[in-house]
Amino acid sequence: MNVSWFDGCSMYQFFPLGLCGAPRENSWDWSNTWNAATRPVRRIDRILGWIDHLKKLGFNSIFFNPILQSDTHGYNTRDFYTLDSRLGSNEDFAELCAALHENGFRIVLDALFNHVGRGFWAFRDVRNNMQNSPFINWFKGIDFNKNTPCNDGFYYKAWGGNWDFPELNLENEEVVDHIFGALRKWEDLYRFDGLHICLIEFLPQKFVERVRSFCSEMGAGLGGSIALIAEMFDGIDCGKYVSSTQAQTSTNQELCRAVRAGFNKKNIYEIAYTLNRQFGPDGVYKNIPVMNFLDNHNFSRFASAMDDKRLVPLGWSLLPALPGFPCVYYGSEWGVEGVLGENHWALRPSFEKPEWNELTDVIQKAFVARKNSPALRFGSYKQIFQAKEQLVFERESCGDKIVVALNISEYDYKVPIKRGKGFAAFEGIYGDFDDLISGNECHYDGDFYLPPLSVMFLRKK
């Protein structure tokens, strides 16, 4: 299967409405009959100040959470064709995308097609014109014999029971044509490289396949065709949505949850099981470059989730060594905290500029090591030892072999040599190695010592 350009990428995720300090609620201009948008305020340029920071860290791809005109948080869309006026104009974002491409970054856009907001122009037409609206069949479940808690005078199907989210009828060709017209406009203006398909489990498979086919016919900004990332809302296994006709890859919620739980319980076994299930010899994701993450716009920050804060740098060091590709949510590289509450704004802070501290130094070393290692970018996965608080695995590709060793214990650990087969077997480590994280040279004659609270990337000389 063509996995496009995801193999080998390191992704950084922005939530622009939060980062750029946009008002939480969008204003209305009722004289604008299309999407009621007020005059754009150019805030999106703030991201230009992050380019050098991201290049220094070794990232080469950027994922933008919702940027389209919306009522409040970005996921209650008003208009698929226009940048949110709280961030600027279409032309403003096009200039930013051009600058990012000039600096070698791929660009991924959030794509939410399951539902829109109550401010969506076609839904407002139904509210204003009722049975005379030509857009009644654009939405699911409209019934003029019932009402809603919003007292619209009609009923509609709202996603998740949230009346802020009228569901689109994706079996209506007019709706599909409208969405494809927007995708074509995005490609013309932004030359984007990928789409993050939100809530894929709620979309008709035929629609997803049509999006894949349509995007395959358009050229991506840095070459190739536009690629798709599948994202599920409730489930953890996106494998069934990854195929030659649907998405090329998926987000990896299962691994995120395993790492967070394993670190907090000081128990590596769940992490080891998950890695083997996903990437081992018969792994379900063996040939899929899945997106691995430790936090994002839907998860409390990793720094907040860890009971023992000493484990925070270990998690971020481990992430770029895992099969698939890593994605880091803005600010987490310097340890920003935030807990998911009734709304998500605590996870969407505003920053004038990026910061750099000791944690950022640690993350930089791990991501630069990944950038310079074919094994860490593309390599196979082979577990060679596991214990309750220790894990050792091997990545290999193109003649490059890296031994990754994790110790979440606060004590030194000597990996016992045990001949035989199975996960408990360990033949020992022999020879001279460079530790790509510390920069130290190491020599082993079988016995393998793991320093306390450490991650090592060992390349044999």
Side-chain angles (χ1 to χ4, degrees), residues 320-324 366 369-371 373-379 393 395-397 400 402 404 436 457:
L322 301 176
R370 183 179 190 278
K371 181 179 179 180
S373 168
L376 294 179
R377 297 198 309 276
F378 316 114
F393 59 87
R395 306 283 313 278
E396 184 175 6
S397 179
D400 184 37
I402 304 291
V404 179
L436 303 184
F457 296 176

Side-chain angles (χ1 to χ4, degrees), residues 135-173:
F135 303 108
I136 294 171
N137 290 327
W138 280 46
F139 304 94
K140 290 184 178 180
I142 288 188
D143 185 346
F144 291 100
N145 295 314
K146 299 179 182 179
N147 205 348
T148 67
C150 304
N151 197 29
D152 294 298
F154 62 91
Y155 182 87
Y156 58 90
K157 186 176 181 182
W159 182 76
N162 186 335
W163 299 105
D164 197 32
F165 298 146
E167 286 196 32
L168 284 173
N169 177 12
L170 296 175
E171 295 181 357
N172 183 330
E173 282 300 310

Side-chain angles (χ1 to χ4, degrees), residues 132-435:
N132 295 321
S133 173
F135 303 108
I136 294 171
N137 290 327
W138 280 46
F139 304 94
K140 290 184 178 180
I142 288 188
D143 185 346
F144 291 100
N145 295 314
K146 299 179 182 179
N147 205 348
T148 67
C150 304
N151 197 29
D152 294 298
F154 62 91
Y155 182 87
Y156 58 90
K157 186 176 181 182
W159 182 76
N162 186 335
W163 299 105
D164 197 32
F165 298 146
E167 286 196 32
L168 284 173
N169 177 12
L170 296 175
E171 295 181 357
N172 183 330
E173 282 300 310
E174 290 182 0
V175 175
V176 175
D177 288 345
H178 182 77
I179 289 173
F180 284 2
L183 291 176
R184 176 62 69 187
K185 183 171 184 178
W186 301 356
E187 193 267 343
D188 289 342
L189 284 170
Y190 311 138
R191 299 291 297 153
F192 67 102
D193 302 274
L195 288 176
H196 177 261
I197 306 295
C198 302
L199 309 180
I200 195 168
E201 72 267 45
F202 298 100
L203 302 177
Q205 180 176 336
K206 180 180 178 182
F207 172 77
V208 175
E209 292 175 346
R210 292 180 66 181
V211 172
R212 168 68 181 270
S213 177
F214 188 80
C215 287
S216 296
E217 297 172 359
M218 294 192 291
L222 291 185
S225 60
I226 295 166
L228 307 185
I229 304 172
E231 182 243 21
M232 291 180 67
F233 182 75
D234 291 321
I236 57 174
D237 189 352
C238 286
K240 59 186 175 182
Y241 301 106
V242 177
S243 70
S244 59
T245 60
Q246 297 189 77
Q248 284 98 334
T249 185
S250 72
T251 56
N252 195 350
Q253 289 192 39
E254 180 185 15
L255 186 56
C256 172
R257 297 181 192 279
V259 171
R260 291 160 73 113
F263 274 37
N264 275 335
K265 296 175 183 177
K266 294 294 183 73
N267 190 331
I268 293 293
Y269 289 114
E270 183 177 352
I271 301 173
Y273 168 81
T274 302
L275 288 171
N276 277 307
R277 192 188 81 82
Q278 293 187 344
F279 307 113
D282 299 313
V284 294
Y285 293 155
K286 183 179 178 181
N287 297 311
I288 300 173
V290 289
M291 178 199 285
N292 301 316
F293 60 94
L294 297 181
D295 57 25
N296 62 22
H297 58 300
N298 289 320
F299 284 77
S300 294
R301 296 278 184 166
F302 188 66
S304 297
M306 289 298 95
D307 299 329
D308 184 347
K309 303 304 181 186
R310 297 176 300 174
L311 300 183
V312 173
L314 303 188
W316 289 117
S317 296
L318 178 66
L319 182 67
L322 301 176
F325 67 92
C327 185
V328 175
Y329 191 46
Y330 77 103
S332 287
E333 73 271 26
W334 68 82
V336 166
E337 297 208 24
V339 176
L340 178 63
E342 291 185 3
N343 63 56
H344 290 57
W345 286 107
L347 306 180
R348 305 164 182 173
S350 173
F351 300 116
E352 290 289 340
K353 58 183 180 180
E355 299 181 20
W356 197 287
N357 57 20
E358 292 181 3
L359 177 61
T360 324
D361 282 332
V362 171
I363 291 174
Q364 181 195 37
K365 291 176 182 177
F367 273 80
V368 169
R370 183 179 190 278
K371 181 179 179 180
N372 295 325
S373 168
L376 294 179
R377 297 198 309 276
F378 316 114
S380 59
Y381 175 84
K382 178 184 178 182
Q383 181 178 300
I384 56 180
F385 179 80
Q386 73 173 71
K388 186 172 184 292
E389 296 179 296
Q390 293 78 29
L391 176 66
V392 183
F393 59 87
E394 184 178 271
R395 306 283 313 278
E396 184 175 6
S397 179
C398 304
D400 184 37
K401 183 183 292 187
I402 304 291
V403 174
V404 179
L406 168 69
N407 181 12
I408 63 173
S409 167
E410 57 187 309
Y411 303 104
D412 286 309
Y413 184 84
K414 179 182 177 181
V415 181
I417 295 178
K418 293 183 179 180
R419 311 292 182 185
K421 298 181 179 179
F423 294 145
F426 179 67
E427 298 294 328
I429 299 290
Y430 300 87
D432 295 317
F433 294 81
D434 290 321
D435 183 354

Side-chain angles (χ1 to χ4, degrees), residues 54-91:
L54 300 183
K55 291 173 71 173
K56 185 178 178 181
L57 281 166
F59 291 95
N60 57 18
S61 305
I62 293 177
F63 166 31
F64 287 108
N65 279 131
I67 59 167
L68 300 177
Q69 190 72 262
S70 71
D71 295 340
T72 53
H73 46 63
Y75 291 113
N76 41 17
T77 311
R78 286 187 191 172
D79 175 9
F80 287 124
Y81 284 68
T82 309
L83 188 79
D84 198 298
S85 55
R86 292 169 289 174
L87 297 174
S89 67
N90 287 353
E91 292 72 24

